[in-house]
Amino acid sequence: MPGDRIQLLQGTLDMLILQTLVFGPRHGHWIATAIQRTSDDLLLVEHGSLYPALQRLEGAGLIDGKWGTSENNRRARYYRLTRAGRKRLAAETSKWDRMVEAVARVMRPPKEEEG
Amino acid sequence: MKWFGRRDDDLQEEIREHIAMGTRENMERGMPPEEARRAAQRTFGNVGVTRERVREARPLHWLETLWQDARYGSRQIRRRPMLAAVVVATMAFGVGLNTGIFTLINAELLRSGVEDPDSFVRVHPVYTGDVPLGNPRSGRVSREDYLACREATQTIRDLAAWHSRGGILDHDDTVRVPALEVSCNYFAVYGARQLVLGRLFLEEECASRGPQEVTVLSEGLWRDRYAAAPNIVGRVVQFDRGP
């Protein structure tokens, strides 16, 4: 059901990438499919759009990329979360939580307040 | 931090492996190889666009493009030296024209005739309380106030006063001429010393406190009205029917 997929909000892709790397180094294909899979195929990620984001994050020192060998004995570039990346992820997560909560309050006000 | 990011062929290999992984997964789901590869490419999107975006995301991308632009520019200049010469000449002409006009305007309009503009101030009186003259900010000072200020000031070397009034020259003229009634140190404060003809106010004229009948004509007026008559000095100029 590709029609039901949601375009990512501007700026959220960086946060999602950092989140997928929490449990260890991963390569680009794994990151893309993980975002799609864990969102129950709701989030639409064009795999190519991942790479500019990875370049940006690596340039900012939040992740670190190194060539390694994939599970099928092929070469793949693995990205690892740096210390700065973990810190940024924690900050982004709490910012995101507060934003979701605030937007939800506006969009779905409690019944008793409707008067 | 990697200053220029990664090399492009390094990225190309990563993308190739990415699509290969997708193809392999699709085949494991039972797709024929050719279809599996096409589907993986579709999921990835446009490879050329991706490479361009990655280049743009590099830390020193702007420096890279600047260098490219400089090389491109020098190549163009070498290819068409005549065009480049015309462009340079046009720009030089434009800059020169601007500079020339500014110099002219600066000298004619912007620079004041005051000897030392940085130390020159204009004093505006502001009266508080009930003012019989009406507008407390009218900028007018009474003769007594001016003299008192001139006596009392310590920050200003000298204070001159003026009052603007128009009048009619000689008897039958119909043109009103702008004139200033000034305190006798007026020209000294302005730093004006050179005259085409005649003299400015004299010390003894300043010494007495009453009004003096000495007129200084502007050069323009002297030329227009009196045809630059050399014998103007000493002549009595009628102003508003008084000498």
Side-chain angles (χ1 to χ4, degrees):
Chain A
M1 43 170 193
D4 295 337
R5 283 186 172 177
I6 305 164
Q7 287 278 352
L8 274 181
L9 280 172
Q10 192 76 36
T12 48
L13 181 60
D14 290 12
M15 182 178 71
L16 293 181
I17 291 172
L18 293 180
Q19 177 64 41
T20 56
L21 298 178
V22 160
F23 299 111
R26 302 283 190 250
H27 53 69
H29 187 261
W30 195 95
I31 294 169
T33 46
I35 290 173
Q36 237 162 284
R37 200 176 50 240
T38 43
S39 72
D40 286 331
D41 278 330
L42 271 172
L43 292 180
L44 173 72
V45 181
E46 198 185 58
H47 289 204
S49 69
L50 209 64
Y51 285 90
L54 285 169
Q55 171 67 61
R56 220 170 25 244
L57 292 169
E58 195 172 357
L62 301 177
I63 59 174
D64 189 25
K66 275 198 177 55
W67 283 98
T69 314
S70 77
E71 52 272 39
N72 303 310
N73 261 337
R74 297 199 61 143
R75 267 160 64 72
R77 205 154 187 270
Y78 281 84
Y79 294 93
R80 182 181 61 81
L81 213 54
T82 63
R83 189 190 290 268
R86 270 180 208 284
K87 229 188 251 173
R88 172 68 68 86
L89 177 61
E92 291 291 320
T93 307
S94 87
K95 206 168 91 185
W96 172 257
D97 286 343
R98 275 181 291 145
M99 194 184 88
V100 169
E101 200 187 337
V103 171
R105 271 192 217 160
V106 175
M107 299 307 288
R108 302 191 192 288
K111 278 268 187 276
E112 57 269 24
E113 275 184 31
E114 280 176 5
Chain B
M1 190 195 249
K2 301 184 175 81
W3 290 106
F4 281 100
R6 305 156 50 195
R7 290 166 49 119
D8 198 44
D9 50 1
D10 195 59
L11 176 70
Q12 251 181 302
E13 192 187 342
E14 188 177 6
I15 292 173
R16 212 165 35 237
E17 290 300 328
H18 185 123
I19 292 172
M21 269 184 241
T23 309
R24 190 192 171 91
E25 274 189 17
N26 289 341
M27 278 164 69
E28 280 167 4
R29 270 189 233 120
M31 278 190 202
E34 188 53 26
E35 200 189 324
R37 196 180 58 81
R38 269 207 302 271
Q41 271 166 348
R42 238 187 347 262
T43 318
F44 189 89
N46 190 320
V47 175
V49 170
T50 299
R51 278 167 56 194
E52 183 52 38
R53 295 253 165 82
V54 171
R55 261 198 295 280
E56 284 167 10
R58 282 178 191 166
L60 284 185
H61 175 68
W62 60 273
L63 194 68
E64 230 175 327
T65 52
L66 191 73
W67 172 238
Q68 272 170 11
D69 286 350
R71 277 199 320 200
Y72 177 74
S74 65
R75 220 161 42 233
Q76 291 298 312
I77 290 173
R78 249 177 289 141
R79 192 172 300 167
R80 293 172 172 175
M82 271 313 286
L83 180 72
V86 169
V87 170
V88 168
T90 308
M91 279 165 75
F93 180 71
V95 171
L97 198 68
N98 251 316
T99 314
I101 288 175
F102 175 76
T103 310
L104 203 70
I105 289 178
N106 187 36
E108 292 294 314
L109 300 177
L110 300 181
R111 246 197 6 238
S112 69
V114 180
E115 209 174 36
D116 180 10
D118 288 340
S119 69
F120 193 80
V121 290
R122 182 170 175 173
V123 180
H124 274 269
V126 177
Y127 291 103
T128 52
D130 273 346
V131 181
L133 293 167
N135 184 3
R137 288 176 178 270
S138 67
R140 291 173 179 230
V141 211
S142 70
R143 188 185 153 72
E144 288 72 24
D145 283 348
Y146 157 63
L147 291 174
C149 285
R150 201 182 155 196
E151 292 296 313
T153 183
Q154 289 176 351
T155 49
I156 298 172
R157 202 186 320 141
D158 204 356
L159 197 63
W162 52 269
H163 168 67
S164 97
R165 91 175 239 210
I168 293 168
L169 278 173
D170 296 337
H171 291 292
D172 46 358
D173 206 66
T174 49
V175 184
R176 278 181 76 81
V177 178
L180 291 181
E181 289 179 338
V182 300
S183 59
C184 88
N185 61 352
Y186 181 81
F187 291 105
V189 167
Y190 263 86
R193 270 179 211 100
Q194 289 174 325
L195 279 153
V196 181
L197 275 175
R199 60 174 176 84
L200 291 171
F201 307 140
L202 290 177
E203 293 278 331
E204 59 261 33
E205 285 162 357
C206 293
S208 103
R209 293 216 150 180
Q212 295 288 321
E213 287 157 352
V214 180
T215 307
V216 176
L217 298 173
S218 74
E219 192 184 343
L221 188 66
W222 173 56
R223 290 191 189 283
D224 287 353
R225 265 295 308 219
Y226 301 99
N231 58 344
I232 187 79
V233 179
R235 243 172 83 179
V236 174
V237 177
Q238 293 280 322
F239 190 76
D240 265 2
R241 305 197 182 279

